[in-house]
Amino acid sequence: MVIHSRRRFDFLSRWSVPLTLTLILVVGCGPGDKRDAASDAASDAAAQVPSPETTTPPRGAEVPPPAAEHDEADSAQEAIPIPAAAAAVPPAESQVGQADLPVPSGPPEHWRDWESPAAVLVVSGQQYGYIEPCGCTGLENQKGGLMRRGTLLKELRERGWEVVPLDAGNQIRRTGRQQGIKFQTAIKGLQQLDYETIGFGADDLRLGASELLSVAADDGENSSGFASANVELLAPDLIPRFRQLNRGGLQIGVTTALDPTTVLTQIDEAIVIGDLQSTLAETLAKMQQGGCTWKILLLFGSEEAAKKIAREVPGFDFIIAAATVGEPLYQAELVPGTSTRVIKTGDKGMYVGVIGLFPDGPPRYSRQPMDAQFEDAPEILKLMAEYQDQLRVLGLDGLQVQPLAHPSGGQFVGTAKCGECHTTAHAIWEGTPHAEATEDLVHPGERSEIARHFDPECLSCHVTGWNPQGYYPYTSGYLSLELTAAMTGNGCENCHGPGKEHVDAEESPEQWTAAQLQEIRERVTLPLEKARERCLECHDLDNSPDFHQEGAFERYWAEVEHSGVD
Amino acid sequence: MKSSVLLLLLVAAAGGAILGGFFSYQSYIEPGERFGVLELKQPEGPARVESIVSAYNTGKQAQGVPKIEVDGGNTFNFGTMLRNASGKHQFVVRNVGTADLVLQVGGTTCKCTVGTLSEGKLAPGKSTTVDLAWDAKTETRTFSQSATLRTNDPSKFELPLIVEGDVVDLLAAEPAEWNLGEIATAAPLELTTRLYNYSTETVTIEKLSWTSESFGAGSEIVIEPLPLDPQADPAHASASQAFDVKIKVAGGLPQGVLSQTLRARYKTPTKDDFSPLEMKLTGLVVGDLSVMGNSKLTTDEYGNQLLKLGEIDRAAGTEETFYVSFRGPFRDQAQITLGAVTPSEGIEAELGEPSIRGAVKYIPVIIRTKKDAPPMDRLGGAGRETGMLTIQSDRDEVAPLQLRVVFKLTQGRGS
């Protein structure tokens, strides 16, 4: 007890490895007796509304001390045992000229090292359409995917832990019928994985209230898992403001919110996005009244927005910022002047955050990349197969994917036609993966049990005559294996442009002057300096990261190099 | 004696801390975690996690302490740049501590490349540079990418270097999409957008039209130059030219999914082969009356709506609430009433009080099975009937809504 009284409790300092923690306790850092107003309120509320299942000490014992005594530089230094020389450095000095630096502390830790957490929150968001990584460059090279997340959750549950999966939203990134189906599939997957709370992302809202409500409405006993403090679909009471979960003896309040500034398109008038600050303040108060001892906000907003909320609406223990990109930090970042920690999800579901809540100690955080160490969860793999089958049944017409005229007005003829004259170039092409691009969808090398040749998002770069970034066919481009067999493979015209005008001219040269013939030829000539741009339309960073390394274009070009008529 | 025990405890604890840190870090690092997607250049070959942990722990034991600082902060905002363009920034990293600072490149997002650290270890007072290069290949306006440095600075085990800013197309539309949700078939559409030119050249809009000629025939498009005022509109301060676009689409669109593309063809004095700028219009055209707000409601691609109640124990019964939405020009004048509910011996319904949300009036509907209902099959399909609920108005112009109710009342246990 003497040890505890020597130094105040430091929230951040306890986020370290067990053995390091041992030393911290020896040198005298332990739970203190100071609490901030929010935690007082929380613990008071908990005291007023006791949960019969709560067996742990009041939450107030676990929350940080007053912010004024809890600056991040100080806590950072306490996070690990440090030499005397380091301790002599005034804490404020570490902030000189670096006011924008987050100050994580100490090495990371891994949830696999934890023992007996009362509950484990698994936080994610901003899947952004990547229900699975594309896999074009090998799944072992890409992170993400709901299938892997399913396996992570299984591993956590097999430890006997109370697992609470939470998702901040943004399952999709575009609009249209396919995105509606993908949204439904993603939510079905989350529900199969027993997600406890799900939020809305800005791109989700593009689907409109009716489509969202078809999966998000809470119908009495049929809980959808959705909650939002500030997004209303049609009527105010169709989506709960927050969810209160009793897990591992802890009362955990979870809400979600959407920063209105993230909505950049015109959306359905039946969707109302309320003011962030006031709705969150109301929701937080209700959580506290309900006796929630842990208050979690899943925010579809930037890190900056999350920090602003932490300052303006004090009292959340964690804010998960999902409108973020890049790699999340190893540590949860303490917002200066508050007791709130911000965790960013990054994008495309490549990472999840694992937060351990312990009955006799402060929380811990572990960042988990969704890499190939996690096998595909069979139930989600089955869901993906059903998704692809839905696309097959609907077809391009049912998906409202209609051919549009090519900007040039030209028509496609297919690679074989080009090869009639450009024999050498055609032979080279046949020896490249471009020739097998469609076959690779029909019989994929990975997750081979699921064919992808009905999926417009895959077809756009695996056939001839599509807009690769618009995900639609051009008139006379590929429609199906049966209807447009000549348009299989990623053929000549995807780079050179539709060839019918050129073919017609060469087959009836008498109808043209030499100058006209030359002009038409030039229209389908692609100078090397422009070729790179065309390549990048499919070899983009998501699907072909190798292509973006220095010198990559030159190496790849050497494999497909061709020029002239023959 | 007491001092010996204390010393022993401290030594054991310090050793434990070092080993604990080492092993936990080793176990933390996942396959493929070291470098993100891209392989990064390192002055001494691929980074080894063990070496930075070792340096980290050595740093803790050494006299003095390394301390990292980035000149100007760890975030670089490039302002606005054109989509697909490339950028580069050099961060200057300084050791302001009193012991050697060890640096390693950690993970990076796949849109950054990190150049070679000119030195892997920095003596106190020395600085080095880290180059971040990026391609602004993103579909979104905001761009933010990062690379992470790992250090043996005890207060900053990892330090993100962040590049952020706005990415724009040479000609950008705001908004570039209209996602209207449900649209009443009778209601005309009014759409607006603005086109911004972010090049230094003058853009000429050659043509602005819908890709569907039939849809375009019922549409009127007006485009006018829009004066720019950087003070009043700082978000577009870097634009050199703007256009205001107003579009009217006549009512009477066919019911079903609406998906149309508006193309802007444009040129500058030096280039006339830009890919057209495309803007998408999506929605679901429905009658003035439609239903939503219950997960048992489904809509087929033709806009027909079903309420799937499934199999129900007749003794237990069921009750569901959903909403009728009323849009279109008669929203405020017409009275909505409940029409026939069939089979009347099996189900009943009632309307609640209407409310207004934007352009939508919505009215709650409660439908339930009757307590004394006999067993019945209204699952539909294969020539079987479904139940039907009709919602109507007192205006002839508003077509009544007929909602098929799919259910089966079973005898159930104990019935």
PDB file of all heavy atoms in Angstrom, chain A residues 17 83 104 110 206 219 232 269 325-326 330 367 373 405 472, chain B residues 24 28 30 33 60 109 144 150 155 158 177 263 278 295 359:
ATOM      1  N   VAL A  17       4.349  -4.661 -21.062  1.00  0.00           N
ATOM      2  CA  VAL A  17       4.409  -6.120 -20.966  1.00  0.00           C
ATOM      3  C   VAL A  17       4.392  -6.545 -19.502  1.00  0.00           C
ATOM      4  O   VAL A  17       4.781  -5.791 -18.631  1.00  0.00           O
ATOM      5  CB  VAL A  17       5.683  -6.635 -21.659  1.00  0.00           C
ATOM      6  CG1 VAL A  17       5.627  -6.319 -23.114  1.00  0.00           C
ATOM      7  CG2 VAL A  17       6.909  -6.023 -21.016  1.00  0.00           C
ATOM      8  N   PRO A  83      16.466   4.806 -17.360  1.00  0.00           N
ATOM      9  CA  PRO A  83      17.651   5.121 -16.580  1.00  0.00           C
ATOM     10  C   PRO A  83      17.517   6.473 -15.899  1.00  0.00           C
ATOM     11  O   PRO A  83      16.702   7.308 -16.301  1.00  0.00           O
ATOM     12  CB  PRO A  83      18.764   5.137 -17.631  1.00  0.00           C
ATOM     13  CG  PRO A  83      18.081   5.409 -18.911  1.00  0.00           C
ATOM     14  CD  PRO A  83      16.729   4.795 -18.798  1.00  0.00           C
ATOM     15  N   PRO A 104       3.221   7.579 -27.970  1.00  0.00           N
ATOM     16  CA  PRO A 104       3.002   6.238 -27.469  1.00  0.00           C
ATOM     17  C   PRO A 104       4.145   5.849 -26.540  1.00  0.00           C
ATOM     18  O   PRO A 104       5.198   6.462 -26.564  1.00  0.00           O
ATOM     19  CB  PRO A 104       3.009   5.377 -28.725  1.00  0.00           C
ATOM     20  CG  PRO A 104       3.832   6.132 -29.694  1.00  0.00           C
ATOM     21  CD  PRO A 104       3.667   7.580 -29.359  1.00  0.00           C
ATOM     22  N   HIS A 110       1.180  -7.990 -27.062  1.00  0.00           N
ATOM     23  CA  HIS A 110       0.340  -8.860 -27.869  1.00  0.00           C
ATOM     24  C   HIS A 110      -0.734  -9.490 -27.012  1.00  0.00           C
ATOM     25  O   HIS A 110      -0.463  -9.946 -25.902  1.00  0.00           O
ATOM     26  CB  HIS A 110       1.185  -9.952 -28.522  1.00  0.00           C
ATOM     27  CG  HIS A 110       0.512 -10.552 -29.706  1.00  0.00           C
ATOM     28  ND1 HIS A 110      -0.687 -11.230 -29.622  1.00  0.00           N
ATOM     29  CD2 HIS A 110       0.841 -10.543 -31.016  1.00  0.00           C
ATOM     30  CE1 HIS A 110      -1.048 -11.617 -30.825  1.00  0.00           C
ATOM     31  NE2 HIS A 110      -0.144 -11.216 -31.697  1.00  0.00           N
ATOM     32  N   ARG A 206     -24.778   6.148 -48.786  1.00  0.00           N
ATOM     33  CA  ARG A 206     -25.097   6.345 -50.211  1.00  0.00           C
ATOM     34  C   ARG A 206     -26.158   5.354 -50.691  1.00  0.00           C
ATOM     35  O   ARG A 206     -26.743   5.537 -51.749  1.00  0.00           O
ATOM     36  CB  ARG A 206     -23.829   6.217 -51.052  1.00  0.00           C
ATOM     37  CG  ARG A 206     -22.848   7.358 -50.781  1.00  0.00           C
ATOM     38  CD  ARG A 206     -21.429   6.963 -51.084  1.00  0.00           C
ATOM     39  NE  ARG A 206     -21.142   6.958 -52.505  1.00  0.00           N
ATOM     40  CZ  ARG A 206     -19.954   6.645 -53.019  1.00  0.00           C
ATOM     41  NH1 ARG A 206     -18.964   6.341 -52.217  1.00  0.00           N
ATOM     42  NH2 ARG A 206     -19.758   6.651 -54.307  1.00  0.00           N
ATOM     43  N   ASP A 219     -35.773  -4.756 -35.050  1.00  0.00           N
ATOM     44  CA  ASP A 219     -37.171  -5.175 -34.964  1.00  0.00           C
ATOM     45  C   ASP A 219     -37.397  -5.946 -33.681  1.00  0.00           C
ATOM     46  O   ASP A 219     -37.481  -7.161 -33.692  1.00  0.00           O
ATOM     47  CB  ASP A 219     -37.549  -6.070 -36.135  1.00  0.00           C
ATOM     48  CG  ASP A 219     -37.070  -5.504 -37.451  1.00  0.00           C
ATOM     49  OD1 ASP A 219     -37.131  -4.275 -37.609  1.00  0.00           O
ATOM     50  OD2 ASP A 219     -36.641  -6.282 -38.288  1.00  0.00           O
ATOM     51  N   GLU A 232     -30.017   9.040 -38.171  1.00  0.00           N
ATOM     52  CA  GLU A 232     -31.396   8.555 -38.127  1.00  0.00           C
ATOM     53  C   GLU A 232     -31.826   8.161 -39.537  1.00  0.00           C
ATOM     54  O   GLU A 232     -31.651   8.928 -40.476  1.00  0.00           O
ATOM     55  CB  GLU A 232     -32.334   9.637 -37.597  1.00  0.00           C
ATOM     56  CG  GLU A 232     -32.137   9.953 -36.129  1.00  0.00           C
ATOM     57  CD  GLU A 232     -33.053  11.060 -35.648  1.00  0.00           C
ATOM     58  OE1 GLU A 232     -33.941  11.498 -36.430  1.00  0.00           O
ATOM     59  OE2 GLU A 232     -32.866  11.496 -34.501  1.00  0.00           O
ATOM     60  N   GLU A 269     -32.890  12.073 -48.591  1.00  0.00           N
ATOM     61  CA  GLU A 269     -33.422  13.044 -47.621  1.00  0.00           C
ATOM     62  C   GLU A 269     -34.002  12.384 -46.388  1.00  0.00           C
ATOM     63  O   GLU A 269     -34.215  13.042 -45.364  1.00  0.00           O
ATOM     64  CB  GLU A 269     -34.501  13.895 -48.294  1.00  0.00           C
ATOM     65  CG  GLU A 269     -33.953  14.869 -49.310  1.00  0.00           C
ATOM     66  CD  GLU A 269     -35.058  15.738 -49.879  1.00  0.00           C
ATOM     67  OE1 GLU A 269     -36.182  15.223 -50.025  1.00  0.00           O
ATOM     68  OE2 GLU A 269     -34.800  16.903 -50.176  1.00  0.00           O
ATOM     69  N   VAL A 325      -6.868   6.348 -42.726  1.00  0.00           N
ATOM     70  CA  VAL A 325      -6.115   5.481 -43.632  1.00  0.00           C
ATOM     71  C   VAL A 325      -4.778   5.164 -42.979  1.00  0.00           C
ATOM     72  O   VAL A 325      -4.396   5.763 -41.978  1.00  0.00           O
ATOM     73  CB  VAL A 325      -5.874   6.142 -45.002  1.00  0.00           C
ATOM     74  CG1 VAL A 325      -7.177   6.364 -45.725  1.00  0.00           C
ATOM     75  CG2 VAL A 325      -5.126   7.455 -44.832  1.00  0.00           C
ATOM     76  N   GLY A 326      -4.094   4.238 -43.582  1.00  0.00           N
ATOM     77  CA  GLY A 326      -2.752   3.952 -43.120  1.00  0.00           C
ATOM     78  C   GLY A 326      -2.715   2.988 -41.958  1.00  0.00           C
ATOM     79  O   GLY A 326      -3.704   2.364 -41.597  1.00  0.00           O
ATOM     80  N   TYR A 330       0.823   1.251 -32.642  1.00  0.00           N
ATOM     81  CA  TYR A 330       0.826   0.119 -31.722  1.00  0.00           C
ATOM     82  C   TYR A 330       0.018   0.426 -30.464  1.00  0.00           C
ATOM     83  O   TYR A 330      -0.534  -0.445 -29.847  1.00  0.00           O
ATOM     84  CB  TYR A 330       2.254  -0.203 -31.284  1.00  0.00           C
ATOM     85  CG  TYR A 330       3.096  -0.853 -32.327  1.00  0.00           C
ATOM     86  CD1 TYR A 330       4.269  -0.268 -32.755  1.00  0.00           C
ATOM     87  CD2 TYR A 330       2.727  -2.075 -32.874  1.00  0.00           C
ATOM     88  CE1 TYR A 330       5.060  -0.880 -33.699  1.00  0.00           C
ATOM     89  CE2 TYR A 330       3.513  -2.686 -33.824  1.00  0.00           C
ATOM     90  CZ  TYR A 330       4.693  -2.078 -34.235  1.00  0.00           C
ATOM     91  OH  TYR A 330       5.471  -2.681 -35.170  1.00  0.00           O
ATOM     92  N   ARG A 367      -2.536  -4.110 -31.344  1.00  0.00           N
ATOM     93  CA  ARG A 367      -2.909  -3.940 -32.753  1.00  0.00           C
ATOM     94  C   ARG A 367      -2.678  -5.258 -33.485  1.00  0.00           C
ATOM     95  O   ARG A 367      -1.625  -5.872 -33.340  1.00  0.00           O
ATOM     96  CB  ARG A 367      -2.020  -2.864 -33.376  1.00  0.00           C
ATOM     97  CG  ARG A 367      -2.360  -2.556 -34.808  1.00  0.00           C
ATOM     98  CD  ARG A 367      -1.304  -1.662 -35.439  1.00  0.00           C
ATOM     99  NE  ARG A 367      -0.075  -2.378 -35.726  1.00  0.00           N
ATOM    100  CZ  ARG A 367       0.965  -1.845 -36.355  1.00  0.00           C
ATOM    101  NH1 ARG A 367       0.928  -0.593 -36.719  1.00  0.00           N
ATOM    102  NH2 ARG A 367       2.046  -2.553 -36.581  1.00  0.00           N
ATOM    103  N   GLN A 373      -1.570 -15.234 -41.482  1.00  0.00           N
ATOM    104  CA  GLN A 373      -1.505 -16.206 -40.379  1.00  0.00           C
ATOM    105  C   GLN A 373      -2.895 -16.676 -39.978  1.00  0.00           C
ATOM    106  O   GLN A 373      -3.047 -17.713 -39.348  1.00  0.00           O
ATOM    107  CB  GLN A 373      -0.810 -15.587 -39.164  1.00  0.00           C
ATOM    108  CG  GLN A 373      -1.625 -14.522 -38.471  1.00  0.00           C
ATOM    109  CD  GLN A 373      -1.043 -14.071 -37.155  1.00  0.00           C
ATOM    110  OE1 GLN A 373      -0.925 -14.830 -36.238  1.00  0.00           O
ATOM    111  NE2 GLN A 373      -0.635 -12.811 -37.122  1.00  0.00           N
ATOM    112  N   ALA A 405     -21.110   3.884 -74.008  1.00  0.00           N
ATOM    113  CA  ALA A 405     -20.262   4.111 -75.184  1.00  0.00           C
ATOM    114  C   ALA A 405     -18.842   4.467 -74.744  1.00  0.00           C
ATOM    115  O   ALA A 405     -18.639   5.170 -73.760  1.00  0.00           O
ATOM    116  CB  ALA A 405     -20.842   5.246 -76.010  1.00  0.00           C
ATOM    117  N   TYR A 472     -17.583  -0.787 -65.412  1.00  0.00           N
ATOM    118  CA  TYR A 472     -18.685  -1.041 -66.340  1.00  0.00           C
ATOM    119  C   TYR A 472     -18.123  -1.357 -67.717  1.00  0.00           C
ATOM    120  O   TYR A 472     -17.012  -0.963 -68.054  1.00  0.00           O
ATOM    121  CB  TYR A 472     -19.639   0.171 -66.397  1.00  0.00           C
ATOM    122  CG  TYR A 472     -19.018   1.447 -66.927  1.00  0.00           C
ATOM    123  CD1 TYR A 472     -18.834   1.654 -68.292  1.00  0.00           C
ATOM    124  CD2 TYR A 472     -18.634   2.460 -66.047  1.00  0.00           C
ATOM    125  CE1 TYR A 472     -18.278   2.832 -68.766  1.00  0.00           C
ATOM    126  CE2 TYR A 472     -18.078   3.632 -66.510  1.00  0.00           C
ATOM    127  CZ  TYR A 472     -17.890   3.822 -67.870  1.00  0.00           C
ATOM    128  OH  TYR A 472     -17.330   4.976 -68.347  1.00  0.00           O
TER     129      TYR A 472
ATOM    130  N   SER B  24       8.155 -10.220 -25.651  1.00  0.00           N
ATOM    131  CA  SER B  24       6.805  -9.793 -26.025  1.00  0.00           C
ATOM    132  C   SER B  24       6.837  -9.102 -27.373  1.00  0.00           C
ATOM    133  O   SER B  24       5.956  -9.261 -28.190  1.00  0.00           O
ATOM    134  CB  SER B  24       6.232  -8.863 -24.969  1.00  0.00           C
ATOM    135  OG  SER B  24       6.581  -7.543 -25.216  1.00  0.00           O
ATOM    136  N   TYR B  28       5.033 -10.224 -30.703  1.00  0.00           N
ATOM    137  CA  TYR B  28       4.047  -9.309 -31.233  1.00  0.00           C
ATOM    138  C   TYR B  28       4.131  -9.194 -32.751  1.00  0.00           C
ATOM    139  O   TYR B  28       3.142  -9.118 -33.459  1.00  0.00           O
ATOM    140  CB  TYR B  28       4.228  -7.917 -30.610  1.00  0.00           C
ATOM    141  CG  TYR B  28       3.279  -6.934 -31.208  1.00  0.00           C
ATOM    142  CD1 TYR B  28       1.971  -6.876 -30.770  1.00  0.00           C
ATOM    143  CD2 TYR B  28       3.671  -6.126 -32.267  1.00  0.00           C
ATOM    144  CE1 TYR B  28       1.077  -6.016 -31.342  1.00  0.00           C
ATOM    145  CE2 TYR B  28       2.776  -5.268 -32.842  1.00  0.00           C
ATOM    146  CZ  TYR B  28       1.487  -5.209 -32.382  1.00  0.00           C
ATOM    147  OH  TYR B  28       0.597  -4.356 -32.962  1.00  0.00           O
ATOM    148  N   GLU B  30       4.108  -9.758 -36.366  1.00  0.00           N
ATOM    149  CA  GLU B  30       3.477 -10.803 -37.147  1.00  0.00           C
ATOM    150  C   GLU B  30       4.195 -10.965 -38.472  1.00  0.00           C
ATOM    151  O   GLU B  30       4.868 -10.057 -38.937  1.00  0.00           O
ATOM    152  CB  GLU B  30       2.016 -10.411 -37.421  1.00  0.00           C
ATOM    153  CG  GLU B  30       1.232 -10.049 -36.190  1.00  0.00           C
ATOM    154  CD  GLU B  30       0.995 -11.236 -35.284  1.00  0.00           C
ATOM    155  OE1 GLU B  30       1.305 -12.363 -35.673  1.00  0.00           O
ATOM    156  OE2 GLU B  30       0.499 -11.011 -34.166  1.00  0.00           O
ATOM    157  N   GLU B  33       4.628  -8.135 -41.142  1.00  0.00           N
ATOM    158  CA  GLU B  33       4.308  -6.924 -40.404  1.00  0.00           C
ATOM    159  C   GLU B  33       5.452  -5.929 -40.462  1.00  0.00           C
ATOM    160  O   GLU B  33       5.286  -4.756 -40.223  1.00  0.00           O
ATOM    161  CB  GLU B  33       4.013  -7.328 -38.951  1.00  0.00           C
ATOM    162  CG  GLU B  33       3.827  -6.227 -37.950  1.00  0.00           C
ATOM    163  CD  GLU B  33       2.525  -5.529 -38.064  1.00  0.00           C
ATOM    164  OE1 GLU B  33       1.967  -5.503 -39.158  1.00  0.00           O
ATOM    165  OE2 GLU B  33       2.065  -4.992 -37.055  1.00  0.00           O
ATOM    166  N   LYS B  60      17.984   1.954 -22.695  1.00  0.00           N
ATOM    167  CA  LYS B  60      17.417   2.184 -21.369  1.00  0.00           C
ATOM    168  C   LYS B  60      18.471   2.015 -20.276  1.00  0.00           C
ATOM    169  O   LYS B  60      18.369   2.594 -19.211  1.00  0.00           O
ATOM    170  CB  LYS B  60      16.272   1.200 -21.134  1.00  0.00           C
ATOM    171  CG  LYS B  60      15.058   1.539 -21.950  1.00  0.00           C
ATOM    172  CD  LYS B  60      13.886   0.667 -21.606  1.00  0.00           C
ATOM    173  CE  LYS B  60      14.190  -0.777 -21.962  1.00  0.00           C
ATOM    174  NZ  LYS B  60      13.052  -1.654 -21.700  1.00  0.00           N
ATOM    175  N   THR B 109       2.216   2.639 -45.221  1.00  0.00           N
ATOM    176  CA  THR B 109       1.036   2.370 -46.021  1.00  0.00           C
ATOM    177  C   THR B 109       1.494   2.176 -47.452  1.00  0.00           C
ATOM    178  O   THR B 109       2.577   2.585 -47.830  1.00  0.00           O
ATOM    179  CB  THR B 109       0.063   3.549 -45.930  1.00  0.00           C
ATOM    180  OG1 THR B 109       0.749   4.718 -46.341  1.00  0.00           O
ATOM    181  CG2 THR B 109      -0.405   3.729 -44.521  1.00  0.00           C
ATOM    182  N   SER B 144      -4.197  10.838 -46.924  1.00  0.00           N
ATOM    183  CA  SER B 144      -3.332  10.790 -45.755  1.00  0.00           C
ATOM    184  C   SER B 144      -2.630   9.447 -45.749  1.00  0.00           C
ATOM    185  O   SER B 144      -3.276   8.400 -45.793  1.00  0.00           O
ATOM    186  CB  SER B 144      -4.151  10.956 -44.474  1.00  0.00           C
ATOM    187  OG  SER B 144      -3.311  10.800 -43.344  1.00  0.00           O
ATOM    188  N   ARG B 150      10.636   3.305 -36.089  1.00  0.00           N
ATOM    189  CA  ARG B 150      10.796   2.733 -34.756  1.00  0.00           C
ATOM    190  C   ARG B 150      12.110   3.236 -34.191  1.00  0.00           C
ATOM    191  O   ARG B 150      13.108   3.329 -34.912  1.00  0.00           O
ATOM    192  CB  ARG B 150      10.768   1.207 -34.823  1.00  0.00           C
ATOM    193  CG  ARG B 150       9.397   0.725 -35.226  1.00  0.00           C
ATOM    194  CD  ARG B 150       9.314  -0.768 -35.369  1.00  0.00           C
ATOM    195  NE  ARG B 150       7.991  -1.124 -35.854  1.00  0.00           N
ATOM    196  CZ  ARG B 150       7.735  -2.088 -36.734  1.00  0.00           C
ATOM    197  NH1 ARG B 150       8.724  -2.798 -37.230  1.00  0.00           N
ATOM    198  NH2 ARG B 150       6.509  -2.340 -37.115  1.00  0.00           N
ATOM    199  N   SER B 155      10.614   7.323 -24.892  1.00  0.00           N
ATOM    200  CA  SER B 155       9.279   7.925 -24.877  1.00  0.00           C
ATOM    201  C   SER B 155       8.558   7.788 -26.203  1.00  0.00           C
ATOM    202  O   SER B 155       7.381   8.117 -26.303  1.00  0.00           O
ATOM    203  CB  SER B 155       9.375   9.414 -24.509  1.00  0.00           C
ATOM    204  OG  SER B 155      10.032  10.105 -25.545  1.00  0.00           O
ATOM    205  N   GLU B 158       7.605   4.277 -31.342  1.00  0.00           N
ATOM    206  CA  GLU B 158       7.299   4.407 -32.760  1.00  0.00           C
ATOM    207  C   GLU B 158       6.843   5.831 -33.036  1.00  0.00           C
ATOM    208  O   GLU B 158       6.240   6.497 -32.189  1.00  0.00           O
ATOM    209  CB  GLU B 158       6.228   3.419 -33.209  1.00  0.00           C
ATOM    210  CG  GLU B 158       4.927   3.574 -32.457  1.00  0.00           C
ATOM    211  CD  GLU B 158       3.853   2.622 -32.945  1.00  0.00           C
ATOM    212  OE1 GLU B 158       4.048   1.994 -33.998  1.00  0.00           O
ATOM    213  OE2 GLU B 158       2.823   2.538 -32.280  1.00  0.00           O
ATOM    214  N   GLU B 177     -21.619  12.644 -57.236  1.00  0.00           N
ATOM    215  CA  GLU B 177     -22.675  11.625 -57.259  1.00  0.00           C
ATOM    216  C   GLU B 177     -23.939  12.199 -56.643  1.00  0.00           C
ATOM    217  O   GLU B 177     -23.876  13.052 -55.762  1.00  0.00           O
ATOM    218  CB  GLU B 177     -22.285  10.398 -56.418  1.00  0.00           C
ATOM    219  CG  GLU B 177     -21.237   9.526 -57.022  1.00  0.00           C
ATOM    220  CD  GLU B 177     -20.991   8.299 -56.152  1.00  0.00           C
ATOM    221  OE1 GLU B 177     -21.670   8.137 -55.126  1.00  0.00           O
ATOM    222  OE2 GLU B 177     -20.121   7.523 -56.520  1.00  0.00           O
ATOM    223  N   ARG B 263     -21.790  12.677 -68.295  1.00  0.00           N
ATOM    224  CA  ARG B 263     -20.402  12.828 -68.728  1.00  0.00           C
ATOM    225  C   ARG B 263     -20.116  14.277 -69.123  1.00  0.00           C
ATOM    226  O   ARG B 263     -20.895  14.889 -69.861  1.00  0.00           O
ATOM    227  CB  ARG B 263     -20.106  11.951 -69.944  1.00  0.00           C
ATOM    228  CG  ARG B 263     -19.706  10.536 -69.599  1.00  0.00           C
ATOM    229  CD  ARG B 263     -19.394   9.771 -70.867  1.00  0.00           C
ATOM    230  NE  ARG B 263     -18.959   8.411 -70.545  1.00  0.00           N
ATOM    231  CZ  ARG B 263     -18.855   7.445 -71.440  1.00  0.00           C
ATOM    232  NH1 ARG B 263     -19.167   7.680 -72.710  1.00  0.00           N
ATOM    233  NH2 ARG B 263     -18.440   6.244 -71.088  1.00  0.00           N
ATOM    234  N   GLU B 278     -17.017  11.748 -65.148  1.00  0.00           N
ATOM    235  CA  GLU B 278     -18.306  11.065 -65.027  1.00  0.00           C
ATOM    236  C   GLU B 278     -18.927  11.312 -63.665  1.00  0.00           C
ATOM    237  O   GLU B 278     -18.241  11.267 -62.647  1.00  0.00           O
ATOM    238  CB  GLU B 278     -18.139   9.557 -65.275  1.00  0.00           C
ATOM    239  CG  GLU B 278     -17.699   9.260 -66.710  1.00  0.00           C
ATOM    240  CD  GLU B 278     -17.711   7.779 -67.059  1.00  0.00           C
ATOM    241  OE1 GLU B 278     -17.799   6.962 -66.123  1.00  0.00           O
ATOM    242  OE2 GLU B 278     -17.630   7.462 -68.260  1.00  0.00           O
ATOM    243  N   SER B 295     -36.625  -5.188 -41.185  1.00  0.00           N
ATOM    244  CA  SER B 295     -35.715  -6.095 -41.888  1.00  0.00           C
ATOM    245  C   SER B 295     -36.460  -7.215 -42.607  1.00  0.00           C
ATOM    246  O   SER B 295     -35.871  -7.917 -43.414  1.00  0.00           O
ATOM    247  CB  SER B 295     -34.708  -6.695 -40.902  1.00  0.00           C
ATOM    248  OG  SER B 295     -35.383  -7.400 -39.889  1.00  0.00           O
ATOM    249  N   ALA B 359     -38.206  15.562 -47.344  1.00  0.00           N
ATOM    250  CA  ALA B 359     -39.273  15.558 -48.339  1.00  0.00           C
ATOM    251  C   ALA B 359     -40.215  14.383 -48.154  1.00  0.00           C
ATOM    252  O   ALA B 359     -41.038  14.107 -49.010  1.00  0.00           O
ATOM    253  CB  ALA B 359     -38.657  15.513 -49.730  1.00  0.00           C
TER     254      ALA B 359
END
